[in-house]
Amino acid sequence: MASHNHQEMLAATQTIIEEALLKLGYGTDMAELLKEPLRMLTVRIPVRMDDGRVKVFTGYRAQHNDAVGPTKGGVRFHPSVTEEEVKALSIWMTLKCGIADLPYGGGKGGIICDPRSMSFRELERLSRGYVRAISQIVGPNKDIPAPDVMTNSQIMAWMLDEYSRLREHDSPGFITGKPIVLGGSLGRETATARGVAIMIEETLAVMGTPLKDARIVIQGFGNAGSYLAKFMFDAGAKVVGISDVHGALHDPDGLDIEDLIDKRDSFGAVTNLFRKTISNDELLELECDVLVPAAIENQITADNAPRIKAGAIVEAANGPTTLEATNILNDRGVLIVPDVLASSGGVIVSYFEWVQNNQGYYWSEPEVDAKLRTMMVRGFREVVDVHRTRKVNMRLAAYMVGVRKAAEAARLRGWV
């Protein structure tokens, strides 16, 4: 099932990339170059499990385009990782970096595994094995990994240590999303959520709705979803619905987010503690000002798009809305702030972390947050501007802004 979805996701991405490049006046040769990663590595990682047997895992690393600079992107540990998914995500990373105007191309990695059924030691061996397997094509000036779905700063720390052993010198800039003591950046942990919060503020301003008392629905209660819920709650907005893998909670007067964050487990599960829950499908169709899909891809489809009652959708997850659903919602006048714009807070602060590693001077959290706000607001306004002046939907506008830098760099280098 996953691989079929991921093939569709990659095909949809390629379709919009081609459309964006044609709109920008590039030829089909540029689309041919940018619709697939330049490099795709598949690795097999033998890991000795705690019971003594050896299990071989499959991992991937895609480097979409390095015309602008080194590639950058997360590594996810998930049972449903596929080659097509990693390719699509690497293309989205190029777009995110282009919108934020970072000196990177997109990269992405993944390992087919279920970290929930693995011990701490097994995860460490797998993380180190992955670095050994991809070490030839990564590095602080080649390709810089980061955390993604079901990976965290501990996993980044093991990967950093393994890379430092291989290279025999300290290179904190090899990976981002590290613990603070190992050269991580303040504000990195909350960066994606903070970026989404800034996008919600900008979106509500465009809609003319005050943030205070705005009704927000958040699908997903992992890293991004729970921090986002807290930021919204603290800003006086009403979070009227949240969900996790088990189900969803709804309260039209606003949920007590602090209490829910207190009770959630390390994988973001909390609804299993409540008797009165609603389904994930019902959550997506709740009446609200802003709906934030912050879980996994393909949640808003041609099937449920006609029943969505949100004024705007701000995509915190990667690829939560299918192409058909995007068209249905655009026709209905729902403002969509696409993932490549809305969820770019993580890569922006990863860039800040890399800059701090390279110069050996570290910033305070208010500095990081202020710089993040400046870059996200600029990106948002640029995409809205293209959306209005070129009369294209927000997703196509974001792709046009996002792909321009890589295309221009490839043209100037004489690749196309």
Side-chain angles (χ1 to χ4, degrees):
M1 177 66 188
S3 66
H4 176 64
N5 275 350
H6 292 158
Q7 279 164 338
E8 283 179 14
M9 201 165 91
L10 178 59
T13 304
Q14 292 170 327
T15 305
I16 313 176
I17 285 273
E18 290 180 30
E19 203 181 335
L21 287 165
L22 291 172
K23 278 253 192 285
L24 289 169
Y26 291 100
T28 49
D29 46 1
M30 188 65 83
E32 199 50 45
L33 174 70
L34 292 174
K35 71 182 206 191
E36 283 274 341
L38 289 177
R39 254 176 242 104
M40 180 78 202
L41 183 66
T42 302
V43 294
R44 302 276 284 152
I45 310 157
V47 175
R48 190 164 298 283
M49 305 304 273
D50 292 346
D51 62 7
R53 67 198 169 90
V54 170
K55 191 170 170 189
V56 182
F57 293 87
T58 299
Y60 302 103
R61 187 73 188 170
Q63 298 175 343
H64 175 238
N65 192 282
D66 53 12
V68 171
T71 51
K72 176 100 194 71
V75 180
R76 54 178 54 188
F77 285 10
H78 199 273
S80 72
V81 165
T82 63
E83 188 173 338
E84 290 81 10
E85 178 187 38
V86 173
K87 281 184 176 180
L89 292 164
S90 75
I91 299 174
W92 292 345
M93 286 303 301
T94 292
L95 298 169
K96 285 185 186 185
C97 294
I99 293 169
D101 200 17
L102 307 177
Y104 295 139
K108 204 65 169 194
I111 301 176
I112 305 170
C113 67
D114 188 353
R116 287 167 297 199
S117 65
M118 293 170 72
S119 75
F120 213 58
R121 288 288 145 255
E122 289 169 342
L123 279 173
E124 176 174 356
R125 290 183 209 118
L126 178 62
S127 303
R128 291 179 182 276
Y130 179 70
V131 171
R132 287 197 297 277
I134 66 168
S135 69
Q136 293 303 310
I137 68 163
V138 295
N141 301 306
K142 282 190 192 172
D143 180 16
I144 304 130
D148 201 279
V149 174
M150 288 207 216
T151 55
N152 55 24
S153 61
Q154 176 58 72
I155 288 172
M156 299 305 106
W158 289 324
M159 290 187 178
L160 170 73
D161 185 65
E162 193 62 28
Y163 187 80
S164 302
R165 287 184 190 188
L166 291 168
R167 291 289 174 267
E168 295 188 351
H169 59 77
D170 185 48
S171 34
F174 152 68
I175 202 162
T176 58
K178 300 181 292 292
I180 302 294
V181 293
L182 292 178
S185 175
L186 294 169
R188 174 65 186 84
E189 186 82 355
T190 55
T192 304
R194 204 170 279 289
V196 175
I198 295 164
M199 293 298 90
I200 292 173
E201 289 168 31
E202 290 288 308
T203 304
L204 289 168
V206 167
M207 292 161 65
T209 308
L211 178 62
K212 204 166 162 34
D213 295 334
R215 293 163 309 157
I216 317 285
V217 168
I218 301 170
Q219 181 203 25
F221 211 55
N223 183 354
S226 59
Y227 279 126
L228 175 64
K230 176 147 174 44
F231 293 150
M232 290 292 101
F233 182 74
D234 292 348
K238 277 194 183 127
V239 181
V240 295
I242 63 113
S243 75
D244 58 26
V245 278
H246 304 291
L249 302 171
H250 171 228
D251 183 344
D253 298 324
L255 295 157
D256 180 352
I257 296 302
E258 294 195 327
D259 178 52
L260 294 177
I261 288 177
D262 252 3
K263 294 187 169 125
R264 75 187 272 276
D265 72 15
S266 60
F267 289 106
V270 69
T271 61
N272 48 332
L273 307 174
F274 292 84
R275 276 208 307 276
K276 204 174 162 226
T277 58
I278 59 172
S279 72
N280 213 359
D281 296 339
E282 292 172 291
L283 176 98
L284 294 171
E285 295 168 19
L286 290 174
E287 269 194 45
C288 61
D289 298 301
V290 181
L291 169 62
V292 184
I296 50 169
E297 62 264 338
N298 297 327
Q299 295 303 295
I300 300 171
T301 59
D303 184 40
N304 61 6
R307 297 190 300 280
I308 300 252
K309 300 180 193 65
I313 294 172
V314 176
E315 298 183 337
N318 288 313
T321 315
T322 65
L323 206 48
E324 299 89 355
T326 298
N327 295 331
I328 294 168
L329 292 160
N330 284 326
D331 292 344
R332 290 184 47 213
V334 178
L335 181 69
I336 301 176
V337 182
D339 49 7
V340 291
L341 168 60
S343 70
S344 58
V347 70
I348 291 173
V349 178
S350 267
Y351 163 67
F352 295 162
E353 181 176 333
W354 179 77
V355 167
Q356 292 169 82
N357 293 154
N358 289 348
Q359 64 183 12
Y361 174 75
Y362 291 80
W363 308 334
S364 68
E365 193 153 357
E367 279 179 275
V368 172
D369 288 344
K371 288 180 165 77
L372 171 64
R373 177 172 292 274
T374 305
M375 290 177 89
M376 297 252 2
V377 169
R378 199 204 60 228
F380 180 86
R381 294 187 179 159
E382 199 176 339
V383 171
V384 168
D385 190 47
V386 170
H387 157 66
R388 286 183 173 152
T389 55
R390 302 291 295 266
K391 308 222 177 329
V392 292
N393 69 51
M394 283 285 283
R395 194 177 309 282
L396 184 53
Y399 271 60
M400 285 166 70
V401 173
V403 81
R404 192 188 294 149
K405 192 168 178 172
E408 212 34 25
R411 184 183 70 79
L412 288 166
R413 281 177 181 270
W415 292 2
V416 168

